[in-house]
Amino acid sequence: MVKQNIKESIIQSAQTTFQKHGFKKTTMDEIAYAARKGKSTLYYYFESKEEVFQAVVEKEVMHLRDKIQKAISKTDSAREKLQVYIFTRMDGFQDFGNFYDALKDDYLADLVFIEKMRQQYDKNEIETITSIIKEGVLNKEFKNMNAALTAKTIVIAMKGLEFPVLQEKSKNVFKKEITDLLNILFYGICS
Amino acid sequence: MVKQNIKESIIQSAQTTFQKHGFKKTTMDEIAYAARKGKSTLYYYFESKEEVFQAVVEKEVMHLRDKIQKAISKTDSAREKLQVYIFTRMDGFQDFGNFYDALKDDYLADLVFIEKMRQQYDKNEIETITSIIKEGVLNKEFKNMNAALTAKTIVIAMKGLEFPVLQEKSKNVFKKEITDLLNILFYGICS
DNA sequence: AGCAGACTAAAAAACAAAAATAGTCGAATA
DNA sequence: TATTCGACTATTTTTGTTTTTTAGTCTGCT
């Protein structure tokens, strides 16, 4: 097994343990045991517990990003892209044990790197949406507008959805909410 | 001084003390001292510390509600009403030391009555917005739609704004964000 | 290079003693 | 009779101390 594979397997073990107990209550020994390595070995691959956690979160973010990209690539209109983006992102957010906890948990809130990741994720999200909107503006699907500003607004609205979505487990409940949001987003309420 | 006035003055003292130290760190003695009464006197007017706090929060909510109503009453179109509603509510939210803390603080999150108030406030907010929208639909300002569902969506979007708005102290920064949100809300992004 | 066992320093948990505080009650006051 | 307060108690919080756990290091083995 090459170096990368081992690192990967450690991340995987860490992922399941973090998922079980959260960041704080997961010990390095536990992760090491799950990965069938000595604890010191973890420090050969990672500098700290935080770094391990960061790797886990990054993996999850990457996963969601891929999922979204895949879903988007199947569409052709910008309108569809936006729709699929929001649905996939809100949907995928539910699986996000660690990532979401990282954003929510008080203890973690203090950690600098979490805040950085949050911002980075937001930034990435805004960028992606911006480019979708720009595309839509170019091919006249959308009216002419400040794409970046609009993207920001959309992200804000999605944040409002995060909490209610994570409360209700059923996937069907929030579908309605998102559908409605999209309707307004596309057509507004003025006649 | 009649009973109601004393009760009111206690609430006022409590308001400033809660504002200073939050719910947990404010003592009944402190409130009593500020109100120039003995602690036991507070228990003549209120059953518990929680009840005092509840009274304070209710007062603040009432105040915001009045402010909003006053602002709305000066407008005539539904479109304006909605605009003014959202601006006033987001603006007033900033002054909301206690109420917002009540919604945010971990310790308080557990208290049942806070959750109830939150829900009640949400419900009221949705109702108000619903009726504005209905009015707009009637006089053809807005297209025909499910007013309640739309109101819910608007509230969700506002929740997304709450956090960023409360972070930045300057009133001008968030004006832009709200303006943009309103633009989308009214006209959508599709051409 | 990759790994682990023994180690340390720092943090967290457990416990106990002391202090602060929510809430009660009977008596005083006005 | 309606209000007020001082003295009291039971419960929490805080504080200080000890013990345990845990992140991270170091040395050396393979």
Side-chain angles (χ1 to χ4, degrees):
Chain A
M1 226 206 275
V2 267
K3 201 170 170 178
Q4 271 309 310
N5 283 347
I6 291 172
K7 196 169 181 180
E8 192 48 50
S9 91
I10 291 173
I11 293 175
Q12 223 165 312
S13 301
Q15 188 172 24
T16 59
T17 16
F18 278 135
Q19 231 138 34
K20 257 191 206 147
H21 310 115
F23 176 77
K24 203 178 173 182
K25 288 191 180 170
T26 297
T27 71
M28 288 297 264
D29 274 314
E30 221 176 334
I31 297 171
Y33 180 80
R36 269 172 259 179
K37 298 277 168 190
K39 182 178 62 163
S40 357
T41 306
L42 301 196
Y43 287 92
Y44 180 76
Y45 293 95
F46 299 93
E47 291 224 328
S48 65
K49 188 181 170 184
E50 286 192 8
E51 211 184 280
V52 176
F53 187 75
Q54 188 168 12
V56 169
V57 174
E58 257 159 18
K59 189 187 160 193
E60 293 186 342
V61 168
M62 214 72 99
H63 188 252
L64 177 56
R65 211 173 276 176
D66 283 358
K67 213 169 158 184
I68 291 174
Q69 283 305 332
K70 204 180 251 176
I72 282 186
S73 70
K74 283 181 191 152
T75 67
D76 27 36
S77 73
R79 189 184 172 293
E80 260 182 302
K81 272 189 180 49
L82 207 49
Q83 191 158 341
V84 164
Y85 182 99
I86 293 173
F87 262 111
T88 316
R89 124 91 205 226
M90 292 314 290
D91 191 39
F93 221 74
Q94 292 193 307
D95 307 329
F96 253 148
N98 294 320
F99 186 47
Y100 189 71
D101 281 352
L103 307 180
K104 245 192 97 140
D105 197 9
D106 277 358
Y107 176 74
L108 289 169
D110 291 359
L111 299 179
V112 186
F113 79 98
I114 288 293
E115 193 44 35
K116 271 190 192 153
M117 294 191 70
R118 167 55 127 168
Q119 278 170 13
Q120 207 181 310
Y121 185 74
D122 280 3
K123 206 179 143 210
N124 177 269
E125 195 152 51
I126 290 173
E127 272 169 17
T128 310
I129 295 179
T130 301
S131 74
I132 294 178
I133 293 177
K134 273 186 182 160
E135 188 193 315
V137 170
L138 269 179
N139 64 246
K140 311 282 181 193
E141 276 183 81
F142 301 151
K143 51 184 90 158
N144 196 13
M145 64 178 105
N146 186 328
L149 228 59
T150 307
K152 234 180 182 173
T153 308
I154 293 174
V155 169
I156 284 172
M158 279 202 289
K159 270 183 213 280
L161 269 176
E162 273 174 26
F163 193 68
V165 159
L166 280 150
Q167 296 290 61
E168 316 167 10
K169 298 276 177 185
S170 79
K171 304 229 169 192
N172 284 9
V173 181
F174 78 93
K175 257 191 187 167
K176 196 170 188 165
E177 256 134 27
I178 296 179
T179 305
D180 218 55
L181 182 72
L182 286 168
N183 245 317
I184 295 177
L185 175 62
F186 289 134
Y187 305 113
I189 64 175
C190 284
S191 50
Chain B
M1 223 202 285
V2 268
K3 200 171 169 178
Q4 271 310 311
N5 283 349
I6 292 173
K7 196 169 181 181
E8 192 47 51
S9 92
I10 291 174
I11 293 176
Q12 222 165 315
S13 302
Q15 188 172 22
T16 59
T17 14
F18 279 135
Q19 229 138 35
K20 257 190 205 147
H21 312 115
F23 176 77
K24 204 178 174 183
K25 287 190 180 170
T26 297
T27 72
M28 289 297 264
D29 274 314
E30 220 175 337
I31 297 171
Y33 180 79
R36 272 173 257 177
K37 297 278 167 188
K39 182 178 62 164
S40 351
T41 305
L42 301 196
Y43 287 93
Y44 180 74
Y45 294 94
F46 299 93
E47 293 227 324
S48 65
K49 187 180 171 187
E50 286 191 6
E51 211 183 279
V52 177
F53 186 77
Q54 189 170 11
V56 169
V57 174
E58 256 158 19
K59 190 187 160 195
E60 294 188 341
V61 168
M62 215 70 101
H63 188 253
L64 177 57
R65 214 174 274 175
D66 283 358
K67 212 169 160 186
I68 290 174
Q69 284 304 331
K70 203 179 252 176
I72 282 185
S73 70
K74 284 181 191 152
T75 66
D76 27 37
S77 72
R79 188 183 172 292
E80 260 181 301
K81 272 190 179 49
L82 206 50
Q83 192 159 341
V84 164
Y85 182 99
I86 293 174
F87 263 110
T88 316
R89 123 90 206 225
M90 292 316 290
D91 191 38
F93 222 73
Q94 290 193 308
D95 308 328
F96 253 146
N98 295 321
F99 185 48
Y100 189 71
D101 282 353
L103 308 180
K104 248 193 93 141
D105 198 6
D106 278 358
Y107 177 72
L108 289 168
D110 291 359
L111 299 180
V112 186
F113 79 99
I114 287 295
E115 193 44 35
K116 269 189 193 153
M117 295 191 70
R118 167 56 128 168
Q119 278 169 13
Q120 206 180 311
Y121 185 75
D122 280 3
K123 206 180 144 207
N124 177 271
E125 194 151 53
I126 290 173
E127 271 168 20
T128 311
I129 295 179
T130 301
S131 75
I132 295 178
I133 293 177
K134 272 184 182 162
E135 188 192 316
V137 170
L138 270 180
N139 64 248
K140 310 284 183 194
E141 278 183 80
F142 301 151
K143 50 184 92 158
N144 196 11
M145 63 178 106
N146 185 329
L149 228 61
T150 306
K152 234 180 183 174
T153 308
I154 292 174
V155 169
I156 284 173
M158 278 201 291
K159 269 183 213 275
L161 270 177
E162 273 175 26
F163 193 69
V165 160
L166 279 150
Q167 296 289 60
E168 315 167 13
K169 299 274 175 189
S170 79
K171 303 227 169 193
N172 285 9
V173 180
F174 77 94
K175 257 191 188 165
K176 197 171 186 162
E177 256 134 26
I178 296 180
T179 305
D180 219 57
L181 183 72
L182 285 168
N183 244 316
I184 295 178
L185 174 62
F186 289 134
Y187 306 113
I189 63 175
C190 284
S191 52

